[in-house]
Amino acid sequence: MVRYLVSTVLVTAKKEYLLEAMGDTAIELMAGIKRVFDPAGILNPGKICN
């Protein structure tokens, strides 16, 4: 349970940092690439690219 909570906090912090560091355009591009290879959204749902 603790490991899950730590993982969730780290992913949230990473999301915020990536948005700030990469910008909206890069994040949208990554999300588009993820949709091409994972249209059902079953690989790491809710992680970096929602």
Side-chain angles (χ1 to χ4, degrees), residues 2 7 10 16-18 20 24 31-32 36 38-39 42-43 46 50:
V2 171
S7 175
L10 291 176
E16 292 173 12
Y17 171 75
L18 274 178
E20 188 176 312
D24 290 333
V36 167
D38 183 25
I42 59 173
L43 301 174
N50 293 358

Side-chain angles (χ1 to χ4, degrees), residues 29-43:
L29 179 62
M30 288 189 272
I33 292 169
K34 183 180 184 313
R35 279 192 299 274
V36 167
F37 290 103
D38 183 25
I42 59 173
L43 301 174

Side-chain angles (χ1 to χ4, degrees), residues 5-28:
L5 292 174
V6 170
S7 175
T8 302
V9 169
L10 291 176
V11 168
T12 302
K14 187 174 182 179
K15 274 185 185 182
E16 292 173 12
Y17 171 75
L18 274 178
L19 183 56
E20 188 176 312
M22 304 294 280
D24 290 333
T25 305
I27 300 297
E28 289 173 14

